[in-house]
Amino acid sequence: MLASGSQDGYIKVYDVEKILQVGLDFQRPPQDLIEQRCTVRVLSDHNESISAISFHPDPDQQMFLTGSYDCTARIYGFDKPGNKKALRIFQESEPIRDVAFHPSGRFALVGTVHPTLRLYDVETGRAFVSANPSDQHTGSITSVAYTKDGRLYASGSKDGAIKIWDGVSNRCVQTIPSAHDSTQINSVVFSKNGKFILSSGKDALVKLWEVDAVRQMMYYAGAGGQGYTPFRTQAQFNHNEEQVLYPSASGHLVVWNSRNAARLASLPLEHNGLVKRLCHSPTEPAYVTAGEDGRMRFYAKVRV
């Protein structure tokens, strides 16, 4: 399944297999045809723009966690057509920037415009924060991510720092200050083995960090942007982590070899304007982009 959130507060869930089939039947299928044939759920419980969506780690649960500028994080079930309202609501005092499910599905990590990072128990709704106030960021939180085993999680912020947290004690164990030359951190994501963090910043650079040594391993250059990007542009690994992907200011998807930072390709993304979001499938050679033109585009390597 694929889910998208929009500025009007609507969330749409799409059947990926149907998208692939429509793509095979029509070389460039019109948007209304995709909406008609591939949309399986439409949810409209939020009152403001959707900022983040995180699927439950167990696909059989058919649930996802959302964050919104209406200051709420919500959990939805999409297993039944009648489920149009949230199953759980976590109320925050500030607009939400990013969310992430714990790998067990029992906890929800929520980052907001406020510097304090909160962890919610999904069943009880109880919120937890680090007992040490100095653990927290000094600027708005922009990105959060868990390791696959939940042992650690990471956060990025407008303060320019990347923080690494203990997934059990909820304490900050390492801080990388000025990770992107003091510019805002746009995204953080762990490698599947949890040993590395891939980050992007408003300096238009992508960097790879070794978690245990807390050191920069390499950076991926050549995406353009003259040292600045206006959006929270995310860097992503592809499904087998052999490549690093990043949407550039020129409207292209820049692809590097993840191991030696060699630039492999620059692929046109066909948006009318800058790309605001990129998400790659964790299991298949497929990715989706969302642009300032209000359109979402799905790309996949199809076996025929």
Side-chain angles (χ1 to χ4, degrees), residues 186-187 200-201 204 206 223-225 229-236 244-256 266-267 269 271 273-279 287-291:
N186 285 342
S187 67
S200 67
V206 179
T229 178
F231 290 124
R232 289 168 51 204
T233 312
Q234 300 84 30
Q236 296 269 300
V244 168
L245 293 78
Y246 181 79
S248 72
S250 65
H252 289 71
L253 183 71
V254 183
V255 183
W256 295 275
S266 179
L267 310 173
L269 289 172
H271 282 280
L274 295 177
V275 173
K276 299 177 70 173
R277 291 278 176 167
L278 164 70
C279 184
Y287 59 90
V288 63
T289 59

Side-chain angles (χ1 to χ4, degrees), residues 136-265:
Q136 302 296 340
H137 286 282
T138 59
S140 300
I141 295 166
T142 55
S143 182
V144 293
Y146 270 105
T147 56
K148 195 173 182 180
D149 59 6
R151 182 176 61 90
L152 298 172
Y153 59 88
S155 60
S157 168
K158 275 191 172 183
D159 63 14
I162 296 172
K163 288 181 176 287
I164 303 171
W165 304 74
D166 185 287
V168 177
S169 68
N170 212 28
R171 291 290 309 274
C172 178
V173 293
Q174 295 286 356
T175 298
I176 307 173
S178 301
H180 283 263
D181 295 329
S182 299
T183 65
Q184 171 182 309
I185 306 302
N186 285 342
S187 67
V188 291
V189 60
F190 281 97
S191 60
K192 291 180 180 179
N193 62 13
K195 295 182 178 181
F196 303 98
I197 292 174
L198 185 70
S199 68
S200 67
K202 282 208 166 180
D203 59 355
L205 287 178
V206 179
K207 298 183 179 183
L208 187 70
W209 306 86
E210 185 179 7
V211 172
D212 288 342
V214 197
R215 66 186 180 98
Q216 182 181 318
M217 294 289 294
M218 66 182 71
Y219 70 94
Y220 305 88
Q226 291 77 48
Y228 175 76
T229 178
F231 290 124
R232 289 168 51 204
T233 312
Q234 300 84 30
Q236 296 269 300
F237 289 110
N238 73 333
H239 63 292
N240 58 19
E241 298 188 343
E242 293 181 355
Q243 298 172 350
V244 168
L245 293 78
Y246 181 79
S248 72
S250 65
H252 289 71
L253 183 71
V254 183
V255 183
W256 295 275
N257 183 305
S258 62
R259 292 173 174 81
N260 60 21
R263 181 167 159 164
L264 302 176

Side-chain angles (χ1 to χ4, degrees), residues 9 32 94 266:
D32 58 349
E94 301 284 350
S266 179

Side-chain angles (χ1 to χ4, degrees), residues 37-57:
R37 293 193 181 183
C38 307
T39 305
V40 295
R41 299 286 184 276
V42 178
L43 308 169
S44 58
D45 213 16
H46 280 290
N47 301 317
E48 298 284 348
S49 174
I50 307 300
S51 55
I53 300 175
S54 174
F55 275 91
H56 194 285

